[in-house]
Amino acid sequence: MPVVIECVGHPRDMGLSQGLACRVATQERVARAGLPVGRSRLASLRPFTSGAVLGSGAGREIVRHYPHLSERMDGLARSAGVSLDSLMELHLQALGEVPDSEFSSEVTLSLGSVGSNPDGNVLLHRTLPQVERPGSSWLVRRSRPEVGFCSLDVTLPWLVSAVAGVNEAGLCASLVARSLEAKDCSASRAAAPPSPLLVQECLQRFRDVEASLDWCLNRPTSGSAVLILADEKAGMVGVEFSRGAPRVVQPEDGLLLTTPRPARLAGFREQVLRDGPPDFDSLGRFVARLPESDPAPSACLRLDCARRSLELRCLTGKRAEIMLEV
């Protein structure tokens, strides 16, 4: 069953809380990436934006454009007992489409639907790929920042952003990464911060789709992904990030479907339009039937704008379910 942790206060304090709760898992993930685990015991006056990782490229751009997340990362590295350079490098590798990344699954599916219940509410559904390798396990984080909106986030032990979440204003966000060709990965990695960092920023900063959308369209990003944003009043909209400028994607027939391989959704849209949005089990069964060798999803997630709630159901091993409200 996924762990639920709570992070409260200023950005660095929130990172300290996460690192303390996820110390072993973070060290295991850094080690599995082949990065140095230990921290120097000597005090250092080295500026935060210097060195091979923080002093140039996407690492420096993260510090520049995402100061709150960078402070969270610093706190997480401190309490987890790992090098900040290694933790930053891990974020760049994992969010930059490395094959061993938790974001590289081809069976992940995100579904946004309008009018999904008698009240006409917007729901977001998302599958979570199996990431049971050392240092990788999905968890739910209660984020209560000193400034900004509280939220429920689905994330990983070492990750300062999230893959999906809902905040106290009713804004929901869900992101699915897509694979890049090898020639695009290196160029993307050096250019700008990876797009998944936008998830946590939107949840903490904004109460609605309009403000979030303006932010996402005007931030430097790298990588290939689709972000679905939803709220009670505006409904939902998608933002597609690729090699060019971000592109707004509007729902069709009240639905937005995203997956690393859109061709694999053949028949699913018709099924949803005919039968209505799937429950946890039917969504998991559909993804499990997709061809090729990727493992079935480990869990399904549902975000509810009106209830400000998050539901997560495990699909493998011992069945378990989490239901939380912000």
Side-chain angles (χ1 to χ4, degrees):
M1 183 173 181
V3 174
V4 180
I5 66 171
E6 185 171 36
C7 299
V8 183
H10 295 288
R12 188 169 280 103
D13 295 330
M14 298 177 75
L16 288 169
S17 297
Q18 183 170 339
L20 185 63
C22 307
R23 181 181 177 91
V24 174
T26 300
Q27 291 180 353
E28 289 178 341
R29 185 62 182 90
V30 170
R32 181 159 62 86
L35 301 170
V37 175
R39 293 176 60 89
S40 172
R41 296 184 179 183
L42 300 177
S44 174
L45 298 178
R46 191 193 73 175
F48 189 69
T49 54
S50 67
V53 179
L54 298 174
S56 62
R60 179 167 183 146
E61 291 301 294
I62 289 178
V63 176
R64 176 185 175 191
H65 293 285
Y66 298 93
H68 286 182
L69 291 182
S70 298
E71 288 186 31
R72 274 203 198 193
M73 200 181 303
D74 181 52
L76 199 163
R78 288 174 183 271
S79 59
V82 300
S83 161
L84 176 58
D85 280 359
S86 293
L87 190 61
M88 177 68 80
E89 180 66 28
L90 181 59
H91 277 72
L92 295 175
Q93 287 186 9
L95 303 180
E97 314 293 338
V98 170
D100 192 36
S101 166
E102 290 85 345
F103 295 84
S104 62
S105 172
E106 295 181 348
V107 299
T108 306
L109 183 149
S110 184
L111 162 68
S113 52
V114 177
S116 302
N117 57 27
D119 299 325
N121 186 28
V122 180
L123 300 178
L124 296 188
H125 290 79
R126 191 190 194 283
T127 58
L128 297 175
Q130 293 190 44
V131 288
E132 299 305 323
R133 299 181 294 273
S136 296
S137 58
W138 296 108
L139 58 86
V140 177
R141 179 180 61 208
R142 286 188 178 274
S143 291
R144 295 171 52 198
E146 185 74 18
V147 177
F149 296 104
C150 300
S151 63
L152 290 169
D153 323 314
V154 177
T155 186
L156 293 155
W158 51 269
L159 182 63
V160 295
S161 187
V163 298
V166 56
N167 72 12
E168 61 181 307
L171 176 69
C172 294
S174 173
L175 182 136
V176 173
R178 292 177 173 174
S179 297
L180 287 174
E181 296 181 9
K183 61 182 175 59
D184 296 323
C185 289
S186 57
S188 170
R189 171 148 160 41
S195 53
L197 294 176
L198 291 168
V199 175
Q200 199 65 35
E201 288 287 286
C202 288
L203 294 175
Q204 181 173 340
R205 289 175 177 269
F206 305 115
R207 65 170 60 252
D208 56 35
V209 167
E210 182 179 3
S212 302
L213 187 60
D214 181 67
W215 173 268
C216 292
L217 293 176
N218 290 283
R219 307 305 291 175
T221 57
S222 61
S224 180
V226 177
L227 172 65
I228 296 181
L229 299 165
D231 67 37
E232 290 181 86
K233 297 180 180 179
M236 64 183 171
V237 69
V239 185
E240 183 175 0
F241 304 96
S242 58
R243 283 174 291 177
R247 182 176 70 91
V248 176
V249 182
Q250 298 292 343
E252 298 179 13
D253 301 315
L255 295 175
L256 266 175
L257 294 171
T258 63
T259 184
R261 287 192 174 184
R264 305 179 78 181
L265 292 176
F268 186 61
R269 175 178 291 276
E270 290 72 17
Q271 175 186 326
V272 174
L273 291 174
R274 182 183 67 248
D275 303 331
D279 57 23
F280 287 140
D281 290 330
S282 61
L283 183 62
R285 286 195 299 269
F286 171 80
V287 178
R289 289 197 302 267
L290 290 173
E292 301 185 18
S293 58
D294 276 6
S298 62
C300 283
L301 170 71
R302 176 160 58 195
L303 303 172
D304 189 319
C305 294
R307 296 174 63 186
R308 279 76 163 157
S309 67
L310 177 154
E311 295 179 71
L312 191 150
R313 175 174 295 181
C314 296
L315 302 176
T316 58
K318 184 178 180 181
R319 293 297 179 100
E321 187 168 351
I322 293 175
M323 168 64 187
L324 298 171
E325 294 184 0
V326 180

